[in-house]
Amino acid sequence: MTHPFLDLAPLSAEHFASIERRVAGLLDTSQDVVIMQGEALLPLEGAIRGTARPGTVALNIVTGPYGQTFGDWLRDSGATVHDLAVPFHTAVTAEQVRDALAEHPGTDFVSLVHAEAATGNTNPVAEIGEVVREHGALFYLDAVASIAAEPVLPDAWGVDLCVIGAQKAMGGPAGVSAVSVSARAWERMESNPQAPRHSYLSLLDWKHRWIDGGRKALLHAPAQLEMLALEACVERIEAEGLDALMARHAGAAAATRAGALALGGGIEPYVYEARDAAPVATTLRAPAGIDASELVARALAVDPVLPLVAGGGALAKEMIRVNHYGPQATRGVVQSSLAALGGALAEMEGSGAPVDLEGARRAVAGAWVQPL
């Protein structure tokens, strides 16, 4: 008996390289792009381990939980780390980065998360990149959540290491990820005696054995199903158009924010300013006296497929996240999510202010400017 998922011809090096080229096209980059055979934490950690070492002075910008993780990896690599932390309900500014670099002039590495899906904020990378270029530091960017939801342009922004994943706005698989690497990032790795080599974390292995060899022989057996899923995902983006896909995410974010404000009941956007809100997901603050986890659980009891989750860790009691990304960046999903939250809130004791479901529906329709 044959099986469409199992009885496949091996993925050739040529096929693998063709998928890399198409991913590079999404980034509009001439840098080397490596597709790594694991979830995005693999290149995120590998890029830091490859470039950081004792003597590295890093400015680690923290606008959410992933920034905190990067700081841990940098310190573990021996780097001196200066954290620039801002409240999770806002974004960092280029001026704050400029001031931090002036305070620590020896900084040679800057790490930043573009969009924090966990907290719903997004950072002005183009402006920050200009400041980092002026300073001369290596610029490392986590664009896992932002790719396909908003522009990600490593060449134009001066990003040296740009990591992306397909599982959010791209609507693809979680088991493979990619990183674009600039020439000077490769130079930093080559000069780093503690950069991983002969390791699954090693980007240098991909350079020496894959890129420098003309992409003729893969390092190991590729994750075949995930690579084919990534190719299908890129094909779908190309068919819709990247600009149209980003506009759909922007429409979903604007509609969710407007609908939440009109819904009432004490729910309000977690990120204060709309300009700081990420298109990939919208975070909401639960009403005072209402546990966000319980509210989400009640909403999902009505419709368990809605993209609603409570915040992680310490945010679980106060934050609700609407993950309107990929195929769920639609007006229908936004309306259903807010209706479920409003209905659950109306049933909970101590919810306080009244809920206006019809007002939320009208606000979503008025803010949504994309095709249905």
Side-chain angles (χ1 to χ4, degrees):
M1 179 184 296
T2 61
H3 194 289
F5 289 162
L6 301 179
D7 303 313
L8 298 169
L11 189 73
S12 68
E14 181 181 4
H15 193 174
F16 191 104
S18 73
I19 299 171
E20 280 187 334
R21 288 193 296 271
R22 294 173 81 168
V23 170
L26 292 179
L27 295 169
D28 194 21
T29 184
S30 60
Q31 297 178 5
D32 291 323
V33 170
V34 177
I35 296 179
M36 299 193 76
Q37 305 297 280
E39 198 270 339
L41 283 174
L42 175 62
L44 285 169
E45 183 174 359
I48 284 180
R49 301 286 184 186
T51 52
R53 63 180 183 179
T56 297
V57 180
L59 176 65
N60 180 50
I61 302 168
V62 181
T63 61
Y66 284 102
Q68 294 170 329
T69 298
F70 301 158
D72 292 340
W73 288 338
L74 286 161
R75 291 181 178 92
D76 190 55
S77 299
T80 299
V81 181
H82 302 288
D83 287 326
L84 170 56
V86 302
F88 291 176
H89 61 253
T90 187
V92 72
T93 67
E95 196 57 37
Q96 288 174 307
V97 175
R98 189 185 303 278
D99 290 345
L101 291 173
E103 184 179 354
H104 306 289
T107 298
D108 59 8
F109 186 97
V110 175
S111 50
L112 174 69
V113 178
H114 187 182
E116 287 269 12
T119 48
N121 55 27
T122 191
N123 294 298
V125 182
E127 299 169 19
I128 293 169
E130 185 175 348
V131 172
V132 175
R133 280 198 306 274
E134 291 173 0
H135 188 82
L138 206 71
F139 192 14
Y140 162 102
L141 184 69
D142 171 354
V144 174
S146 55
I147 183 65
E150 54 188 306
V152 177
L153 301 168
D155 291 11
W157 296 344
V159 178
D160 296 287
L161 294 155
C162 183
V163 177
I164 65 171
Q167 69 268 32
K168 289 188 168 63
M170 288 177 65
V176 287
S177 48
V179 54
S180 64
V181 187
S182 73
R184 67 181 195 143
W186 286 129
E187 291 171 3
R188 181 78 66 95
M189 289 184 221
E190 295 281 10
S191 66
N192 183 4
Q194 70 177 40
R197 292 167 170 83
H198 310 294
S199 162
Y200 206 59
L201 278 173
S202 177
L203 284 168
L204 282 176
D205 286 358
W206 283 95
K207 183 178 189 304
H208 295 159
R209 297 169 56 192
W210 172 243
I211 296 171
D212 293 350
R215 293 182 168 87
K216 301 296 184 184
L218 289 162
L219 276 63
H220 45 71
Q224 168 119 321
L225 293 178
E226 288 82 358
M227 288 297 294
L228 293 175
L230 177 61
E231 182 178 42
C233 162
V234 175
E235 287 175 350
R236 188 166 62 181
I237 292 171
E238 291 171 346
E240 180 175 359
L242 183 58
D243 288 344
L245 178 56
M246 291 189 293
R248 182 155 57 82
H249 281 84
T256 304
R257 189 176 185 89
L261 288 168
L263 181 63
I267 285 181
E268 58 185 24
Y270 186 85
V271 177
Y272 290 175
E273 301 293 337
R275 66 173 181 273
D276 297 335
V280 69
T282 297
T283 48
L284 305 172
R285 193 178 301 275
I290 297 295
D291 186 295
S293 295
E294 182 183 351
L295 178 58
V296 168
R298 290 196 180 208
L300 291 177
V302 176
D303 189 346
V305 302
L306 291 174
L308 297 171
V309 295
L315 298 174
K317 291 186 177 297
E318 66 182 52
M319 179 189 286
I320 304 150
R321 194 167 77 231
V322 185
N323 290 327
H324 47 64
Y325 52 67
Q328 293 180 313
T330 68
R331 193 173 89 180
V333 165
V334 170
Q335 287 179 329
S336 296
S337 296
L338 291 173
L341 286 172
L345 185 58
E347 295 173 358
M348 294 180 72
E349 292 184 9
S351 60
V355 171
D356 184 358
L357 294 175
E358 178 58 23
R361 187 197 66 77
R362 289 196 303 269
V364 168
W368 188 272
V369 295
Q370 306 306 318
L372 294 179

